[in-house]
Amino acid sequence: MRNWFLRGLERGVQTTRYPGGPAEEAERLRRGVRFAGPGVSRATAARLEELCPVSALSLEEGPRGDLRLALDLGACIACGACLEEAPEALTWLSEPALARREREALRSYLPVARGRNGLGRPGGPAAGGRPESGVDGTTAEELARGFQAASRRLFGRSAHLLQVDAGSCNACESELLALGNPMYDLHRLGLFFTNSPRHADILVVTGAVTENMRDELLEAYRAMPEPKLVVAAGACAVDGGIFRRAPHFVGPVDRLLPVDVYIPGCPPDPYTLLHGLLLAVGRAAEAAEAAAGRQPDRSTEALEVHRA
């Protein structure tokens, strides 16, 4: 015990500066894959599509009739099988600012040649999601600067999170739990977990939504006061993950609720979760300004989607 006490005094405060500043240790984590080459052959693209266990890679036809390989970061579980098959076309993704406001923004594209062995046109990924850029061009530092003012105006200095496990393996829950330790210190940002939907501002959903959790998830959402936000955290909540073909899978979350922020990862690490939560508060501020003080009740809308 004495050695741990002395070591703590020697090291001092270890709380990360992220998102108010860079976090060098965050760059060492592997959060998924991204495209690295100018293009890929059709044969390689077909092998990658067949190899991916969660269909995160797919060969498709673009809007101009050109072939392209689509990468869905929201579905990626970072297994690394595609990197072993085509290291010239893909590489690890280490940027923590991965959350997106729109589901389509998690997709990126790589040109595919019509020929069996040729390469597509040079120039990098085609138009689509940009996995290593900030959300809509916004970095984590920029989000952090506007967070305090938005949180104070909307939630009275503190925003409360209600986490609902809709059918996960508990990996995402472990990462969310880590947000409360001294390293990440979620409370320094004015974010707190609550057990009551009546006190919650942000609903954080993890896991592939199962038949047994569908009604409970909808009831929790309906009990939350306005303005309320929904965050889909992890590959299972965003797309279904490895459970997307399970017989009792009824998700992803946006099939039942209006999702404001998508956080990819299997599981998303604390840095990525922090970025997504900051983005959610920013989205609430934009919605409040657009509504000019009138907040729409989306509970009925969500339940109507459920009944349909």
Side-chain angles (χ1 to χ4, degrees), residues 25-54:
E25 64 276 10
E27 303 298 328
R28 296 198 296 266
L29 300 176
R30 295 175 175 179
R31 297 176 170 86
V33 297
R34 65 176 178 87
F35 290 129
V40 68
S41 69
R42 184 169 184 174
T44 300
R47 289 199 304 271
L48 290 172
E49 181 182 37
E50 182 179 1
L51 185 64
C52 184
V54 290

Side-chain angles (χ1 to χ4, degrees), residues 182-214:
M183 176 63 184
Y184 304 104
D185 192 12
L186 189 68
H187 296 174
R188 68 190 164 93
L189 298 173
L191 293 170
F192 302 87
F193 283 102
T194 180
N195 293 324
S196 171
R198 301 291 185 186
H199 302 155
D201 306 300
I202 302 174
L203 176 62
V204 181
V205 186
T206 59
V209 183
T210 61
E211 185 71 38
N212 289 340
M213 282 300 298
R214 174 172 54 186

Side-chain angles (χ1 to χ4, degrees), residues 32-163:
V33 297
R34 65 176 178 87
F35 290 129
V40 68
S41 69
R42 184 169 184 174
T44 300
R47 289 199 304 271
L48 290 172
E49 181 182 37
E50 182 179 1
L51 185 64
C52 184
V54 290
S55 302
L57 290 164
S58 59
L59 183 60
E60 61 181 45
E61 187 172 312
R64 299 180 181 178
D66 54 324
L67 285 177
R68 61 186 185 178
L69 181 64
L71 169 60
D72 185 355
L73 187 62
C76 180
I77 59 173
C79 66
C82 56
L83 272 72
E84 297 180 5
E85 178 66 29
E88 73 284 356
L90 295 139
T91 188
W92 286 113
L93 177 63
S94 59
E95 167 63 41
L98 297 179
R100 296 291 185 268
R101 294 174 174 175
E102 304 296 334
R103 180 68 179 86
E104 178 60 26
L106 289 170
R107 294 171 63 87
S108 55
Y109 305 93
L110 191 69
V112 174
R114 288 281 183 181
R116 184 172 181 80
N117 297 314
L119 292 179
R121 293 172 297 173
R130 293 168 299 183
E132 283 208 298
S133 66
V135 179
D136 299 331
T138 305
T139 64
E141 290 82 358
E142 291 170 337
L143 285 173
R145 283 196 293 270
F147 171 79
Q148 295 293 345
S151 180
R152 185 181 301 111
R153 184 170 66 255
L154 291 168
F155 307 119
R157 295 181 179 270
S158 63
H160 286 77
L161 316 173
L162 173 67
Q163 189 266 322

Side-chain angles (χ1 to χ4, degrees), residues 263-274:
I263 305 179
C266 187
D269 64 277
Y271 293 106
T272 304
L273 289 168
L274 284 175

Side-chain angles (χ1 to χ4, degrees), residues 54 72-77 103 106 163-173 176 203-210 217 230-244 249-268 273:
V54 290
D72 185 355
L73 187 62
C76 180
I77 59 173
R103 180 68 179 86
L106 289 170
Q163 189 266 322
V164 173
D165 177 358
S168 79
C169 67
N170 282 335
C172 293
E173 285 73 20
L176 283 166
L203 176 62
V204 181
V205 186
T206 59
V209 183
T210 61
L217 175 62
V230 178
V231 174
C236 290
V238 173
D239 188 73
I242 62 174
F243 305 108
R244 60 185 302 178
F249 171 63
V250 297
V253 178
D254 60 8
R255 192 176 296 173
L256 301 172
L257 296 174
V259 174
D260 295 283
V261 174
Y262 298 87
I263 305 179
C266 187
L273 289 168

